[in-house]
Amino acid sequence: MSLSSRKKLLLMGRSGSGKSSMRSIIFSNYSAFDTRRLGATIDVEHSHLRFLGNMTLNLWDCGGQDVFMDNYFTTQKDHIFKMVQVLIHVFDVELKLINKDIDIFVKSLTNLQKFSPDAKIFVLLHKMDLVQIDKREELFVIMMDKLQKISNPYQFKLVGFPTSIWDESLYKAWSLIVCLLFPNMDLFHSNLLRFNEVLDAEEIILFEKTTFLVISSTASIQRQTQRSGPLNGSVDSLDPKRFEKISNIIKTYKQLITKLRTSFNNLVIRGSNGTSFYVDVLTDNLFIMIVLKDRVAEQSYVNAREDLVILENIKAARHWFEKIENTK
């Protein structure tokens, strides 16, 4: 495997900020309740995670206790901060000693500037569920503005997310982070558009098979036109968090049937409003979800025939997406 296909991610933040919990939820199929049994991370925990076939995420979960932090920035700094593609720094919004968090963040920036100046930096303002709903956006804006000003002398542009293990915000953040690491995302999207020219689906969504993170999505021409309102405002009435909610629901469903010792291949759901949902394996590394709207209620054999046509179209499209995954 080439070095370019291995991506080193540092997951940093003070002890108890929630780093290991989010890692376990995204990559190890933990539920939010399951994370309560996790202990503190000792030093650095390494995870080598295959993603979309030929890419490996080399995730370094760095323990946040003071004794480990001191080593990261002194005796271990060239080891920790060399060849880093991404730093994900987690701030616990409930911690009172914010100056301690910022000191750690500044030391991380200093070492990244020296050893990995091209690294991308993401900030997760975590445990937002503990903040009053009407105060969350204000807190997020204030914190990100402060952290960006701190980062400016180091010439790093931050991307921030408010997150919680108790809602879909964690999936949204990690989907965007991982997608920025994969060089062929434009090819996935262009082929998804091409596929939808055949199906004319209301929406098509690609999920990474293990994590169910959203990789790409496309909507019908009609819906895309609806979204192009004045000042790029959206008049789309659908839930903007639907992708991440779907990720959570299907991943939970997949976990349940695994416990029943059966395999998850495909799923067809028909809504009472004429909308049909198809979830199927697209490649060894991808699931696809297709949403078709306004299907007329017909005899069951007619619906079954149409279902078969959709599933056959998915099979026919597999070689497009397998070719992208195998592109070096």
Side-chain angles (χ1 to χ4, degrees):
M1 181 179 295
S2 66
L3 288 176
S4 61
S5 62
R6 294 199 296 263
K7 308 294 184 180
K8 181 177 177 181
L9 283 71
L10 292 185
L11 185 57
M12 300 197 75
R14 288 180 64 197
S15 181
S17 61
K19 304 183 299 299
S20 297
S21 293
M22 64 175 64
R23 171 173 63 86
S24 298
I25 288 172
I26 297 296
F27 296 106
S28 301
N29 291 323
Y30 277 53
S31 70
F33 288 100
D34 291 337
T35 62
R36 291 178 296 182
R37 67 173 186 262
L38 293 172
T41 300
I42 304 301
D43 203 359
V44 180
E45 288 190 10
H46 298 272
S47 301
H48 297 275
L49 308 160
R50 288 297 292 268
F51 199 86
L52 292 180
N54 64 0
M55 186 171 78
T56 296
L57 302 180
N58 187 7
L59 181 62
W60 295 35
D61 183 357
C62 302
Q65 294 94 326
D66 289 344
V67 62
F68 301 136
M69 285 287 184
D70 290 342
N71 288 334
Y72 302 154
F73 301 128
T74 54
T75 58
Q76 290 184 298
K77 60 184 179 182
D78 56 341
H79 175 62
I80 296 289
F81 292 98
K82 271 186 178 178
M83 300 179 67
V84 175
Q85 275 75 41
V86 168
L87 166 66
I88 302 171
H89 199 104
V90 182
F91 287 86
D92 181 347
V93 296
E94 278 291 283
L95 286 179
K96 304 302 181 184
L97 300 176
I98 187 64
N99 288 336
K100 179 70 173 178
D101 289 271
I102 290 177
D103 180 59
I104 293 168
F105 185 58
V106 169
K107 289 178 179 177
S108 298
L109 295 178
T110 302
N111 284 284
L112 277 179
Q113 187 185 49
K114 180 178 180 180
F115 295 106
S116 299
D118 295 325
K120 295 181 174 66
I121 300 181
F122 297 91
V123 171
L124 303 188
L125 301 185
H126 197 48
K127 302 185 183 180
M128 273 290 184
D129 57 287
L130 300 177
V131 179
Q132 285 181 233
I133 294 176
D134 59 344
K135 300 292 184 182
R136 292 175 188 175
E137 184 175 356
E138 179 184 8
L139 173 62
F140 177 74
V141 171
I142 292 172
M143 278 295 298
M144 286 307 303
D145 183 61
K146 180 179 182 68
L147 294 173
Q148 183 58 62
K149 288 177 179 176
I150 291 170
S151 302
N152 285 338
Y154 302 92
Q155 299 183 329
F156 287 115
K157 177 66 177 176
L158 307 184
V159 178
F161 301 96
T163 56
S164 167
I165 64 172
W166 299 103
D167 61 29
E168 67 288 335
S169 60
L170 199 61
Y171 279 88
K172 180 177 182 179
W174 278 90
S175 289
L176 292 172
I177 290 168
V178 171
C179 284
L180 284 172
L181 293 176
F182 198 75
N184 295 327
M185 281 301 150
D186 288 343
L187 287 176
F188 276 115
H189 189 66
S190 62
N191 276 275
L192 205 59
L193 289 171
R194 179 183 168 195
F195 189 32
N196 206 16
E197 289 176 0
V198 176
L199 295 181
D200 192 26
E202 186 74 3
E203 209 152 39
I204 306 179
I205 310 162
L206 290 183
F207 300 94
E208 197 276 329
K209 191 174 181 180
T210 302
T211 61
F212 260 89
L213 295 175
V214 177
I215 299 304
S216 184
S217 67
T218 184
S220 64
I221 297 298
Q222 180 180 5
R223 182 173 293 173
Q224 290 178 36
T225 302
Q226 288 176 337
R227 285 174 174 167
S228 301
L231 301 178
N232 296 320
S234 172
V235 296
D236 193 340
S237 61
L238 295 180
D239 186 345
K241 300 178 180 179
R242 63 192 179 281
F243 295 162
E244 291 73 33
K245 290 180 178 179
I246 292 168
S247 291
N248 217 345
I249 291 168
I250 297 179
K251 193 171 183 180
T252 301
Y253 174 73
K254 185 182 174 186
Q255 291 168 354
L256 288 174
I257 64 172
T258 299
K259 291 179 180 178
L260 297 175
R261 297 184 179 179
T262 185
S263 59
F264 178 78
N265 293 316
N266 58 59
L267 177 67
V268 179
I269 302 173
R270 294 191 185 89
S272 58
N273 62 351
T275 301
S276 295
F277 303 85
Y278 299 83
V279 181
D280 198 2
V281 175
L282 181 61
T283 70
D284 289 341
N285 305 292
L286 290 172
F287 271 100
I288 189 169
M289 181 173 186
I290 298 170
V291 182
L292 295 179
K293 197 174 182 182
D294 298 329
R295 287 184 56 175
V296 178
E298 300 281 358
Q299 296 94 333
S300 60
Y301 77 88
V302 175
N303 282 334
R305 186 175 63 191
E306 291 185 359
D307 293 344
L308 183 60
V309 170
I310 295 298
L311 296 176
E312 286 298 319
N313 275 320
I314 292 172
K315 288 181 182 178
R318 282 176 184 159
H319 73 278
W320 298 350
F321 294 94
E322 287 172 344
K323 185 176 180 181
I324 299 171
E325 289 179 354
N326 294 327
T327 301
K328 302 297 183 182

